[in-house]
């Protein structure tokens, strides 16, 4: 697939009429990390995941809150849970600063500065329209920014951190594996799971949401 012009957007999985296509399942990797006492597990949750996870359990939106999802993750053994919204704000600040620096060139070329947040979009540009690559922001996506911050914070920690990103897009699996998003050869994000994979993990854990006490996300 890497050698084709596939952008890894995951739409083929969404639209496959027989369910024969699906994302690569990384739940075993996550479950192994959760079971390892030598690892500190850190999860970040994308905004779209918070809005969608309750549908699979038939929960009304006002009940399927982020706090109940946080509680479910803690029951599964996750040590820290963060909101990708935080690094989305960082991305806005970084892209805004970059835009101001590049404003003279933008005015001269008449072309905009494109965001770099979507891995499917980046793949599309790289493979089909490489001529627009100079006009794409150099900022990392919110997922990668938050992961880089986590890696930086845990440098002096005795235990190893295992970072997990729960994302609505299969393209994020590819993004996490890109060589430019590594520290000393190790990816900033150890595993990316989709909303569907998270739902499967919750079901496997046998969590009943009528007994779940809502918990706040970590600051």
């Amino acid at each position: 697939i890497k050698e084709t012009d596939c952008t890894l957007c995951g739409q083929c999985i969404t639209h496959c009429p027989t369910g024969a296509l699906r994302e690569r399942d990384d739940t075993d990797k996550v479950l192994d990390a959760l079971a390892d006492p030598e690892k500190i597990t850190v999860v970040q949750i994308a905004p779209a995941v918070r809005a969608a996870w309750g549908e699979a359990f038939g929960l009304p939106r006002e009940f399927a809150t982020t706090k109940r999802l946080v509680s479910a993750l803690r029951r599964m053994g996750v040590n820290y849970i963060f909101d990708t919204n935080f690094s989305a704000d960082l991305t806005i600040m970084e892209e805004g600063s970059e835009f101001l620096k590049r404003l003279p060139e933008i005015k001269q070329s008449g072309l905009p500065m494109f965001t770099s947040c979507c891995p499917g979009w980046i793949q599309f540009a790289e493979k089909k329209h490489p001529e627009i690559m100079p006009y794409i922001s150099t900022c990392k996506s919110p997922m990668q920014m938050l992961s880089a911050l986590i890696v930086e914070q845990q440098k002096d920690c005795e235990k190893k951190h295992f970072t997990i990103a729960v994302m609505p897009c299969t393209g994020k699996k590819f993004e996490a594996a890109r060589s430019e998003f590594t520290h000393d050869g190790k990816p900033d994000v150890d595993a990316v799971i989709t909303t569907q994979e998270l739902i499967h993990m919750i079901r496997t854990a046998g969590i009943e949401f009528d007994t779940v006490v809502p918990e706040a996300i970590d600051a």
Side-chain angles (χ1 to χ4, degrees):
I1 286 178
K2 283 183 181 178
E3 294 170 6
T4 71
D5 64 356
C6 174
T7 60
L8 304 174
C9 68
Q11 288 300 301
C12 56
I13 295 170
T14 302
H15 296 289
C16 177
T18 64
L21 298 174
R22 61 165 298 164
E23 72 275 15
R24 185 188 70 231
D25 192 330
D26 289 317
T27 54
D28 282 348
K29 190 192 297 187
V30 173
L31 291 170
D32 286 345
L34 291 172
D36 188 343
E38 295 303 312
K39 285 180 180 172
I40 296 172
T41 48
V42 184
V43 165
Q44 60 166 295
I45 307 171
V49 175
R50 300 195 312 254
W53 71 271
E55 293 176 8
F57 300 99
L59 302 175
R61 279 180 292 178
E62 60 273 14
F63 185 85
T65 61
T66 304
K67 289 183 176 182
R68 281 195 172 85
L69 179 55
V70 167
S71 184
L73 287 165
R74 291 203 197 286
R75 283 194 181 192
M76 288 190 282
V78 176
N79 299 113
Y80 295 101
I81 303 157
F82 297 115
D83 192 335
T84 312
N85 262 349
F86 171 73
S87 49
D89 288 344
L90 295 181
T91 305
I92 290 166
M93 292 167 67
E94 292 294 329
E95 285 190 341
S97 299
E98 184 179 10
F99 179 81
L100 291 175
K101 283 182 183 177
R102 295 175 66 170
L103 199 52
E105 112 192 25
I106 290 167
K107 286 180 177 178
Q108 188 174 358
S109 68
L111 292 171
M113 185 187 83
F114 296 101
T115 183
S116 55
C117 283
C118 170
W121 151 243
I122 296 299
Q123 283 268 92
F124 178 80
E126 286 175 337
K127 293 182 174 180
K128 294 182 182 289
H129 292 283
E131 71 278 4
I132 68 168
M133 288 304 294
Y135 304 105
I136 293 177
S137 168
T138 60
C139 294
K140 292 182 178 182
S141 71
M143 178 183 83
Q144 292 299 152
M145 278 201 191
L146 186 51
S147 301
L149 283 172
I150 292 165
V151 168
E152 183 65 26
Q153 287 292 315
Q154 60 92 34
K155 278 193 306 188
D156 301 322
C157 185
E158 290 181 6
K159 290 187 177 182
K160 291 181 179 178
H161 281 57
F162 188 90
T163 58
I164 305 153
V166 187
M167 295 285 142
C169 168
T170 56
K172 289 291 183 182
K173 290 177 182 280
F174 167 78
E175 181 185 44
R178 292 189 73 137
S179 60
E180 57 264 46
F181 299 140
T182 59
H183 258 78
D184 299 324
K186 180 182 177 297
D188 288 343
V189 182
D190 293 295
V192 175
I193 58 172
T194 62
T195 314
Q196 291 295 332
E197 288 170 275
L198 173 64
I199 289 163
H200 172 67
M201 286 177 61
I202 293 171
R203 283 185 170 142
T204 302
I207 293 169
E208 299 289 341
F209 282 98
D210 55 352
T211 65
V212 165
V213 178
E215 296 182 47
I217 208 159
D218 288 307

